[in-house]
Amino acid sequence: MVTPIKWLLPPALSQEVEGPLAMEHMRVGVGRRALEYIPEEALQRIISTLANKNDEIQNFIDTLNQTLKGVQENSSNILSELDEEFDSLYSILDEVKESMVTTIKQEQARKSQELQSQLSQCNNALENSEELLEFATRSLDLKEPEEFSKAARQIKDRVTMASAFRLSLKPKVSDNMTHLMVDFSQERQMLQTLKFLPVPKAPEIDPVECLVADNSVTVAWRMPEEDKKIDHFILEHRKTNFDGLPRVKDERCWEIIDNIKGTEYTLSGLKFDSKYMNFRVRACNKAVAGEYSDPVTLETKALNFNLDNSSSHLNLRVEDTCVEWDPTGGKGQESKMKGKENKGSVHVTSLKKHTRSGTPSPKRTSIGSRPPAVRGSRDRFTGESYTVLGDTAIESGQHYWEVKAQKDCKSYSVGVAYKTLGKFDQLGKTNTSWCIHVNNWLQNTFAAKHNNKVKALDVTVPERIGVFCDFDGGQLSFYDASSKQLLYSFKTKFTQPVLPGFMVWCGGLSLNTGMQVPSAVRTLQKSENGMTGSASSLNNVTQ
């Protein structure tokens, strides 16, 4: 029987050599062994095919070796970290053991010292008692009554004073040490349950449970399922003026609060100088931190304003939220102007021409978008109106800010005014401004002022004054910022936007803006509903 050569080769090679070898094979008669003739060219092809297969297998072996090496290296790193964890655990156990051994040795020393002291006392008492017993025994042999009586009295006195009769025959301490025995069965069981920690799932922030109040934000979250391996949480937050999901290119960076043990955290004492805040949280176990929660955006809108330096009196030095009396400010500017005027009529004429052709100073507006006013212009307060206004108008809603005066400030006022307040007008002396005034010069007075009418206030001037303005409700109230005690309240109807207003003489004021209306103030406003001890002459004034 003749067998084609393709059945004598491995299946993988049979197709490659089938054609050349099939035509070259020789047949032998039936019953004799079949002999195959393989040409050199075909054999070269077989050798080449085997060599290519060997290269392919070798490359796969190299890949396996590389993978094996990676497994070994990564495993080594993990084992190293595991060793560090166990070394830390061993260290803790060694420290606990050392502490317990020290405690046992200290207890042993204490009891031994107590027993040694008691033993020494007993030996001394016994020695004295035996000596006294021997003396008493010898006294029985005395024949003279007088000597016997004297010895008996001595024995009685010595017995009365003998330490053996005052000595407690009960050990002060016992030999029991079982109170220092330990039972680590629970700890052993706990150690036996050690496993690799899984990666925590992402927490879920609950917007309903979050609270924004009193310039504080409370963020609450929960885990989608219970995870006892969680060690702590990381809360991240940032301010933004965009609603909705956080923007990748938001101009503010995330701020991190680490190592939070609970599922709630309160950020207090915040300055709300942005409309919103973004929050996200992630859970951490002993190994890794999990994924972030879906971010949550909470509204943190509050009134933010600075002092308008362009309209302030020349004797006031203004910087953002601080104003300070400067007695040399106005004089310096006036002397400069007079010096320029005295240089000649030509200069005066050119100055007048420049004044006519220049752009007139705009009125004070609600937002600081106007160009800076020229010093000494009609917009700047002058005369005895040492006043500065805020740069942001209030046109609706409820707002709150606080003012603190320097301790040596002689006189100051805090309130609001229409933007039409004249440059010579003082706060509280017109029907376009409302304020409370503090005077510490010559005599101390504290009063509410409006439309040149004064109401003396029989309360102590607080360190910080809180100002509450309800534009829509027509209410302006002043509070002790610390205790939230109501100082005075105006009830009116605002017909124009109002600006925060401040007057200061011989001293300084500092402002705190970006504040929400405190909860205590909201509660007082609801309960008081404008009912105060204010004089009717200062209230119910419609402009």
Side-chain angles (χ1 to χ4, degrees):
M1 179 179 179
V2 179
T3 304
I5 189 171
K6 64 179 181 179
W7 298 115
L8 298 177
L9 297 174
L13 301 178
S14 60
Q15 293 182 355
E16 298 186 24
V17 299
E18 177 181 2
L21 296 182
M23 298 179 62
E24 302 290 342
H25 72 276
M26 297 178 62
R27 300 177 181 272
V28 186
V30 177
R32 299 183 63 181
R33 181 179 177 181
L35 297 177
E36 302 285 344
Y37 173 74
I38 303 178
E40 182 179 351
E41 183 181 349
L43 185 59
Q44 288 293 339
R45 294 195 187 98
I46 295 174
I47 293 173
S48 178
T49 301
L50 290 174
N52 291 336
K53 178 58 67 176
N54 289 345
D55 289 340
E56 184 180 343
I57 295 174
Q58 184 61 52
N59 183 63
F60 183 62
I61 291 174
D62 293 340
T63 302
L64 292 177
N65 286 331
Q66 183 65 30
T67 304
L68 180 60
K69 182 180 178 181
V71 169
Q72 292 171 345
E73 290 179 353
N74 294 334
S75 298
S76 178
N77 294 334
I78 295 298
L79 288 173
S80 177
E81 294 179 3
L82 186 64
D83 286 339
E84 291 179 3
E85 290 293 329
F86 272 93
D87 288 342
S88 175
L89 185 60
Y90 297 151
S91 177
I92 294 174
L93 291 175
D94 289 339
E95 290 176 2
V96 172
K97 179 182 178 181
E98 183 178 355
S99 175
M100 288 184 170
V101 168
T102 301
T103 301
I104 294 173
K105 289 183 177 180
Q106 289 176 347
E107 183 70 358
Q108 177 187 3
R110 184 187 70 82
K111 287 193 172 187
S112 297
Q113 185 177 1
E114 291 282 358
L115 293 174
Q116 288 288 355
S117 176
Q118 196 173 13
L119 184 60
S120 177
Q121 293 175 4
C122 289
N123 287 331
N124 293 336
L126 179 60
E127 182 179 349
N128 294 333
S129 181
E130 288 176 346
E131 181 183 350
L132 182 59
L133 178 60
E134 182 180 355
F135 177 70
T137 302
R138 290 198 308 269
S139 299
L140 292 176
D141 296 335
L142 295 176
K143 303 301 182 182
E144 292 295 330
E146 184 177 350
E147 292 182 1
F148 180 81
S149 177
K150 180 180 179 181
R153 284 195 299 273
Q154 292 178 355
I155 293 171
K156 180 181 178 182
D157 292 340
R158 290 179 65 181
V159 168
T160 302
M161 300 299 296
S163 59
F165 292 94
R166 299 195 307 271
L167 191 66
S168 173
L169 299 180
K170 180 181 178 181
K172 291 184 178 181
V173 295
S174 69
D175 61 350
N176 182 26
M177 298 289 284
T178 56
H179 62 288
L180 296 177
M181 294 182 65
V182 296
D183 179 13
F184 291 147
S185 58
Q186 292 184 352
E187 287 75 7
R188 281 194 295 270
Q189 183 179 2
M190 180 182 65
L191 291 173
Q192 290 171 353
T193 59
L194 288 178
K195 296 179 180 179
F196 295 107
L197 291 175
V199 177
K201 294 185 177 180
E204 299 173 353
I205 298 179
D206 188 355
V208 177
E209 297 297 326
C210 296
L211 178 64
V212 180
D214 299 326
N215 281 80
S216 299
V217 179
T218 299
V219 185
W221 59 88
R222 59 176 177 266
M223 295 300 296
E225 58 186 43
E226 186 179 7
D227 187 350
K228 295 183 178 180
K229 301 299 183 181
I230 291 177
D231 178 70
H232 64 277
F233 296 91
I234 297 176
L235 176 66
E236 297 187 5
H237 64 90
R238 69 178 179 184
K239 297 179 179 180
T240 179
N241 287 317
F242 302 104
D243 193 7
L245 296 176
R247 300 194 176 191
V248 177
K249 295 184 179 181
D250 200 315
E251 67 276 10
R252 313 219 182 183
C253 298
W254 289 98
E255 297 184 37
I256 300 174
I257 302 174
D258 200 353
N259 202 33
I260 301 174
K261 296 299 183 181
T263 57
E264 180 179 296
Y265 190 85
T266 299
L267 291 87
S268 58
L270 298 172
K271 180 178 176 64
F272 286 167
D273 51 2
S274 64
K275 295 181 180 179
Y276 306 96
M277 288 185 69
N278 300 138
F279 296 89
R280 64 184 185 185
V281 66
R282 63 197 307 195
C284 303
N285 55 32
K286 292 293 185 179
V288 294
E291 294 292 333
Y292 284 108
S293 66
D294 291 335
V296 170
T297 301
L298 301 178
E299 186 178 17
T300 57
K301 186 168 59 177
L303 177 66
N304 284 274
F305 66 89
N306 289 327
L307 297 174
D308 183 9
N309 185 37
S310 66
S311 66
S312 66
H313 194 284
L314 290 175
N315 284 112
L316 298 181
R317 185 166 59 248
V318 176
E319 184 176 352
D320 294 338
T321 58
C322 296
V323 55
E324 190 170 358
W325 163 261
D326 182 6
T328 64
K331 293 180 180 179
Q333 291 298 322
E334 290 173 2
S335 62
K336 289 181 181 179
M337 292 299 296
K338 289 180 180 179
K340 291 181 180 180
E341 291 175 358
N342 293 333
K343 286 184 178 180
S345 59
V346 176
H347 177 73
V348 172
T349 303
S350 63
L351 180 63
K352 289 181 178 180
K353 290 181 179 179
H354 175 74
T355 302
R356 291 193 189 101
S357 61
T359 304
S361 300
K363 297 181 180 180
R364 289 183 291 274
T365 57
S366 60
I367 304 298
S369 58
R370 59 189 177 282
V374 180
R375 294 185 68 86
S377 68
R378 66 181 183 88
D379 248 3
R380 186 179 292 280
F381 289 98
T382 188
E384 295 184 356
S385 181
Y386 303 113
T387 305
V388 61
L389 300 177
D391 63 0
T392 302
I394 298 174
E395 301 178 352
S396 63
Q398 297 180 342
H399 308 279
Y400 179 86
W401 61 94
E402 294 181 355
V403 183
K404 182 178 181 180
Q406 294 177 354
K407 291 184 178 180
D408 58 348
C409 189
K410 293 292 190 296
S411 177
Y412 62 93
S413 298
V414 178
V416 300
Y418 290 154
K419 60 183 179 180
T420 56
L421 183 68
K423 66 178 181 178
F424 293 102
D425 295 337
Q426 299 180 23
L427 289 178
K429 290 192 174 183
T430 67
N431 63 354
T432 60
S433 61
W434 299 257
C435 73
I436 57 173
H437 176 72
V438 179
N439 180 35
N440 296 319
W441 186 58
L442 298 180
Q443 61 180 356
N444 296 332
T445 59
F446 188 25
K449 292 185 176 183
H450 171 63
N451 201 19
N452 209 23
K453 297 179 181 179
V454 179
K455 168 65 177 177
L457 303 181
D458 189 19
V459 292
T460 303
V461 179
E463 181 180 359
R464 290 182 295 116
I465 297 175
V467 184
F468 170 76
C469 180
D470 182 359
F471 185 89
D472 301 320
Q475 189 154 340
L476 179 69
S477 301
F478 301 89
Y479 292 87
D480 182 331
S482 299
S483 66
K484 299 301 183 289
Q485 175 191 0
L486 179 64
L487 304 175
Y488 192 82
S489 184
F490 291 100
K491 186 67 177 178
T492 185
K493 181 180 180 181
F494 298 118
T495 58
Q496 302 177 33
V498 295
L499 293 163
F502 310 89
M503 185 284 294
V504 61
W505 179 71
C506 290
L509 301 175
S510 60
L511 315 182
N512 190 9
T513 67
M515 304 183 68
Q516 287 187 311
V517 179
S519 301
V521 171
R522 292 186 184 276
T523 302
L524 284 172
Q525 286 296 320
K526 291 180 180 179
S527 60
E528 294 290 340
N529 194 23
M531 297 298 294
T532 69
S534 309
S536 59
S537 60
L538 299 183
N539 281 340
N540 301 319
V541 179
T542 303
Q543 301 299 332

